[in-house]
Structures are given as C-alpha cells and as structure tokens.
C-alpha cells in the first residue's frame, strides 16, 4: 500500500512579485504528513488564466489530490473558480446553496450581497463545497482538486474542513540527529547507512549556527519500530 | 520590448515534508523585480531524479531563465548537478577549476578534500561556475539554468554573484493603497479602474487586522509617470 500523493498550486502575483511571502505551502505540508498523504510537488503561478488551467490539468492528472490556494475572492483578479471549471470543461454559475450561505452572512453583518460578493458563490458544476467558518465564502472540491482561499487564516480553516474527508495513508514519522560536523565529514558514513536502510528516507540538511557548520541527519519512514531501530543504528554510526 | 521571464525550481524533500520553511523563493522574487526579470512560476519538487529532470526540461524550455536551489552538497541525496547534466544530455565529471577552489579552501581550513566533498566539484560539460563567497563550493550556469545551493545564506550569495551577469529589463514599480474596506466593497470600482488602466497590473489583496477586514490595492507597471498618474486616479476613486 503506497500513500496517496498530493500536489499544491499556489495562485497569485503577490507571491511571485515578492510582495508577500507564502505561508500556505508550509501549513499544508505540515498538515498532510500526519495523515499519510505525500506532498510531492508545489507550483506557484500568477493570476493568469492559461497558466492556472495548464497547471491544474497537469497536477490533477499526476497526483491523487491537488490543493489550490488563492484567487477565489470577489475582485476582478480572482479567476481561480473559472479556471478550474475550464480545466475540467464544466459549466460554472452562481449556486443556490453557496448564495444562501453568503446571503445569511451578509444579512447578519448588515452588508450588501452585491454583484462582486456574489462572484464568490460561483461554483463549477459537480463540485462539493468546502466549509469556511472564518469568512463564510466557501471553497470547493471538484474531482480531485480542492480549491481554497489564499488568506492564510481562511486557507487554514478550509484545510481543517477538507482533510478529515480524505482517505489518508501511513503517517510518515521522522527522527532527527543534529551533529556539529559539516556535511562533508558525515557524507561517506551516511551514504553507507542510507544503503543499509534503503527502505527508509535518509536526508542530510546543513545548518550554520554561530559560525559553526552543522548537519541535521533525518530518517523518515512509516514503520515506527523500524525507524527507531534505524535511528539507534544511526546514533551508533556517529557515536552520538 | 518585453522583460525576460524566469522560473524557479526549489529542490528538496525538507520543504515538501514541512520540516523546513522555504526562504529562497521570497528572496529571489524580491531580487528579480528591481532588475526587470519577471518571475512567472515556481516549482518545488523532492530529491527525486525523474521529478527534477522533468521539471528542469519543462522550465528551461518555457522561460528565459531558470534558477534552482538545493541539492548541490556532498551527501548522497545531493543529486541536482547530475540531474541537470541528464536534463541537457551532457557529461558530468569533477572539473579542475572547481576542484582547485575546494582544495585551496579545505587546505586553508585544515580539512580534508575527501571523496564526498569532491562531489561538489562535479560540473556538467559546458557550464560556467557561479561564485560562492560564503562556503566556496560553486554553483553553475548551464545554458539558461542557474544552479545554486539551498542553504539560504549561500543561495543569497550565489544570487548576488549571478544576477549582475544577466541582461534585465524594465523594473516593475508598484504603488499600494491600503483601505479599511473589505474586498467586496471595493470590487466594482476596482474592476472599472483596472479596465481603464489595462496597460498596468491592478491587484487586490485582502488583509485582516485587529478584527477589521481591509484591502490593499496594488498597481504595478514599468513606467513611473504612468504609474503615478494611475495611482492619483486610484486615490480619487476611493477618496483616499
């Protein structure tokens, strides 16, 4: 049994222009690991319809799940829902259940559900809504693509809504061994170790702290007993 | 004259597993804007040879420049240089000038240039080296692909080495107007404004601060006089 795979598509000029630093990729990566869905690829594209449609089609065909963030608000540059409909060649229009959610929300807050806000009720045919307890305007899932907002608080709320509905796999566990040695000093022994435990993922991540070069050795795997045995062996190899 | 385009490829399991939060994308995005190279797409892939080769080939064919980060260290999971060679179907081996740089560096620091460290002198045929004043092991440019380290300090030093060698374009300037109104309240006027200034890029970015929903309106363009005129008009529209 291999784990389900996932990709993420971050949509937004503001990331690529350097105006905003993306926070959603890191949040999703941390949320998927514990439920055993393997995040394999992330793409960031601008608010460009062709770029979005191309990326959605490629990722939806290549992975079990695709999570998108950004571009589902009420303004002219929010084109994600239309692009998802185009990518799957299905119609899109204002949907009654989504409109009712927005109507109740804006009625309660004394704001008008104007034409712009009504755009947030446009849902591609065949999609199911993703609950948004923060700002109500829903995301949606169409086939294997989960479409969510870019504002981090709203993205996180939608991730919390949608992940419990998905079938996960074996959670990946990891053990980290920080060493105050450079990668070049640990590489030969680590290569031999990785060959010995080829069923696990063995990584090496250099760091620099107070002028000292160090290396974090990380072992990852789904079987905790196997992982702990490997980690004990790793500590022996490096006498740590 | 349109600006040169760029894509970035971030290579590393540690980003996708959520262990590390990527910092290099944001740095590169902020460095490219002022020299008029348009960052159009970013991809993040794991330390998987097929994924790296496929992404490099797609991005090198689609954009004027590709910047990669990660996977050029001395350990077994550092496979980027070999993947770049494979992507362009050129041989790769230890190169004398790269080896000489490393030899001098490790001689001076009393460390051995062992087999693992020598891996960092493996350079694909036809590449030029990218200077690394931080930790010496060089990056390289092969055709339109600039291959750099993943450690942020080293990545930043390599970006500083390579960008002055590239032909840029018209720097993109921007003006931001923060409003204490939700996107739904500004959308209609903003759509009309964006249509009036269709030669500029007009974006809308919601924020939430102390429970208040606000919107940053951002106008971007290469012509400062035109941008300033548009920004004055924008402030009039929103009486700000």
């Amino acid at each position: 049994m291999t784990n389900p795979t996932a990709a993420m598509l971050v949509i937004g000029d503001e990331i690529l222009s350097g105006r905003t630093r993306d926070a959603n990729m890191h949040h999703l990566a941390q949320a998927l690991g514990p439920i055993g869905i393997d995040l394999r690829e992330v793409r960031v594209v601008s608010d460009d319809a062709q770029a979005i449609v191309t990326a959605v089609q490629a990722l939806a065909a290549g992975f079990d799940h695709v999570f998108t963030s950004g571009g589902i608000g009420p303004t002219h540059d929010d084109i994600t829902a239309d692009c998802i409909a185009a990518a799957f060649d299905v119609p899109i229009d204002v949907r009654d259940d989504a409109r009712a959610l927005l109507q109740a929300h804006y009625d309660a807050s004394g704001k008008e559900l104007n034409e712009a806000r009504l755009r947030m009720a446009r849902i591609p045919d065949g999609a199911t809504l993703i609950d948004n307890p923060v700002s109500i305007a829903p995301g949606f899932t169409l086939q294997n693509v989960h479409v969510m907002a870019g504002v981090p608080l709203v993205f996180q709320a939608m991730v919390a809504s949608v992940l419990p509905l998905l079938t996960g796999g074996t959670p990946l566990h990891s053990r980290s061994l920080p060493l105050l040695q450079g990668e070049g000093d640990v590489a030969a022994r680590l290569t031999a170790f990785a060959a010995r435990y080829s069923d696990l993922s063995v990584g090496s991540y250099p760091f620099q702290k107070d002028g000292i070069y160090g290396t974090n050795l990380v072992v990852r795997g789904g079987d905790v007993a196997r992982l702990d045995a490997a980690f004990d062996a790793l500590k022996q190899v490096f006498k740590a």
Side-chain angles (χ1 to χ4, degrees), chain A:
Chain A
M1 280 281 292
T2 56
N3 281 352
T5 60
M8 179 179 188
L9 180 63
V10 178
I11 297 158
D13 291 344
E14 70 275 28
I15 310 291
L16 294 173
S17 72
R19 199 187 149 272
T20 301
R21 186 177 160 166
D22 172 67
N24 294 335
M25 175 168 78
H26 189 57
H27 178 80
L28 183 68
Q30 293 200 314
L32 290 177
I35 59 171
I37 295 180
D38 295 348
L39 183 61
R40 295 276 180 86
E41 180 170 340
V42 178
R43 295 193 191 181
V44 186
V45 298
S46 66
D47 302 324
D48 172 83
Q50 190 53 55
I52 298 170
V53 169
T54 302
V56 166
Q57 289 175 335
L59 297 175
F63 301 93
D64 294 322
H65 294 284
V66 180
F67 300 87
T68 81
S69 84
I72 61 168
T75 56
H76 67 286
D77 54 347
D78 289 306
I79 59 174
T80 299
D82 286 271
C83 292
I84 300 289
F88 287 104
D89 198 19
V90 300
I92 179 170
D93 206 345
V94 170
R95 207 167 88 178
D96 287 343
D97 55 352
R99 178 211 290 261
L101 286 170
L102 294 174
Q103 188 75 60
H105 173 61
Y106 289 111
D107 282 353
S109 58
K111 289 180 182 165
E112 185 203 353
L113 178 55
N114 58 23
E115 197 183 318
R117 292 193 170 111
L118 202 53
R119 274 172 57 79
M120 298 190 287
R122 287 168 59 78
I123 306 291
D125 268 22
T128 56
L129 300 186
I130 296 176
D131 192 30
N132 168 11
V134 173
S135 55
I136 308 308
F140 60 84
T141 294
L142 181 62
Q143 299 193 24
N144 63 337
V145 180
H146 312 283
V147 177
M148 299 180 285
V151 176
L153 274 180
V154 183
F155 179 80
Q156 291 163 24
M158 289 182 175
V159 166
S161 297
V162 79
L163 291 194
L165 307 177
L166 307 181
T167 303
T170 308
L172 205 60
H173 300 276
S174 69
R175 301 285 183 268
S176 273
L177 181 64
L179 296 174
L180 292 181
Q181 301 175 53
E183 280 197 300
D185 289 317
V186 305
R189 283 169 290 170
L190 190 67
T191 301
F193 176 85
R196 210 169 119 205
Y197 291 93
S198 60
D199 56 319
L200 301 174
S201 155
V202 180
S204 153
Y205 307 104
F207 64 84
Q208 211 188 350
K209 201 179 169 185
D210 306 332
I212 293 170
Y213 285 91
T215 306
N216 274 309
L217 306 183
V218 179
V219 188
R220 294 187 199 90
D223 179 335
V224 172
R226 172 78 177 153
L227 184 63
D228 283 336
F231 193 63
D232 285 342
L234 186 73
K235 286 188 285 193
Q236 272 200 322
V237 168
F238 290 97
K239 300 180 181 25

